[in-house]
Amino acid sequence: MELAAGSFSGEQFREACAELQQPALAGADWQLLVETSGISIYRLLDQKTGLYEYKVFGVLEDCSPTLLADVYMDLDYRKQWDQYVKELYEQECNGQTVVYWEVKYPFPMSNRDYVYLRQRRDLDMEGRKIHVVLAQSTSVPQLVERSGVIRVKQYKQSLAIESDGKKGSKVFMYYFDNPGGQIPSWLINWAAKVALTADPWMW
């Protein structure tokens, strides 16, 4: 799942846009995990890891698409509200901007860190303005693995946002994360379920 050098393709952005209009849930064993307050969360078991991929669909009634996309991209703001951030910044590597993110894990588990590419495009799809953000783990020689911190090498996220026709936003999110180490898959899946059902848009 590691992304090679280069940018995301136009097709990847279009696929995220398409999920807003027609969720791609057919042809796979996507299961409805929870449906509440206008938000639906689906999961699909990844056979190789025993972990779940997630898709989230819903509406945020009081947040405009542009504001939501801007907040999502604002790493400095995330450091203010996310108590689990230990280190988070962007760095130019090989002509690309990558994100480094170290996450605090409770004792006795080791912290995890991520190195990933992230791109945002604001698209016009037949008159529909859609903000799309794609992120995926990568590897660069400038950001080597640190002693005592486990590097997350399987991380992927897609986010698509458009107006709900009123003052809010219609949102789609895809998420997969394999934190590695010796954490049992059942515990990872339980933690992911709790986090997603609590506040899925802040992942």
Side-chain angles (χ1 to χ4, degrees):
M1 193 168 289
E2 191 171 282
L3 192 67
S7 60
F8 297 94
S9 68
E11 181 61 27
Q12 287 175 288
F13 283 94
R14 289 190 291 272
E15 286 175 358
C17 290
E19 294 267 14
L20 281 172
Q21 190 166 6
Q22 183 61 49
L25 300 169
D29 294 325
W30 287 97
Q31 303 172 344
L32 180 62
L33 180 62
V34 64
E35 190 169 29
T36 180
S37 302
I39 296 174
S40 300
I41 302 174
Y42 294 82
R43 69 180 184 180
L44 175 67
L45 182 64
D46 179 76
Q47 299 292 341
K48 292 182 179 179
T49 62
L51 304 175
Y52 285 99
E53 304 170 63
Y54 293 91
K55 287 185 177 182
V56 183
F57 305 89
V59 173
L60 296 177
E61 295 181 351
D62 299 318
C63 189
S64 72
T66 300
L67 177 60
L68 185 58
D70 288 346
V71 169
Y72 187 83
M73 294 294 291
D74 192 337
L75 299 184
D76 288 333
Y77 182 56
R78 177 155 196 157
K79 287 185 280 189
Q80 296 179 36
W81 63 260
D82 189 346
Q83 62 180 323
Y84 296 105
V85 171
K86 182 174 182 180
E87 198 170 356
L88 180 61
Y89 60 85
E90 290 183 321
Q91 180 173 322
E92 292 296 320
C93 299
N94 307 326
Q96 294 183 311
T97 301
V98 302
V99 177
Y100 177 81
W101 178 26
E102 182 178 345
V103 181
K104 300 175 187 175
Y105 268 57
F107 180 84
M109 293 185 289
S110 300
N111 286 357
R112 265 61 175 175
D113 67 0
Y114 299 71
V115 176
Y116 61 95
L117 291 173
R118 183 181 68 160
Q119 291 183 4
R120 171 182 170 179
R121 291 187 189 177
D122 299 336
L123 306 176
D124 187 333
M125 303 294 289
E126 300 180 348
R128 298 161 58 209
K129 184 177 181 180
I130 303 178
H131 305 281
V132 182
V133 182
L134 302 180
Q136 189 165 329
S137 53
T138 189
S139 176
V140 293
Q142 295 91 334
L143 295 170
V144 299
E145 296 186 32
R146 301 178 177 183
S147 177
V149 180
I150 295 176
R151 176 66 48 89
V152 176
K153 298 179 180 178
Q154 292 180 289
Y155 164 71
K156 186 177 181 181
Q157 187 168 19
S158 304
L159 181 70
I161 312 163
E162 70 173 336
S163 172
D164 67 347
K166 301 175 184 178
K167 296 181 180 180
S169 299
K170 184 178 179 182
V171 184
F172 157 73
M173 185 181 73
Y174 166 88
Y175 190 91
F176 178 78
D177 183 347
N178 181 0
Q182 300 302 311
I183 307 175
S185 59
W186 67 265
L187 181 56
I188 298 171
N189 288 327
W190 174 82
K193 176 182 177 181
V194 170
L196 275 168
T197 53
D199 197 347
W201 309 124
M202 288 296 99
W203 274 43

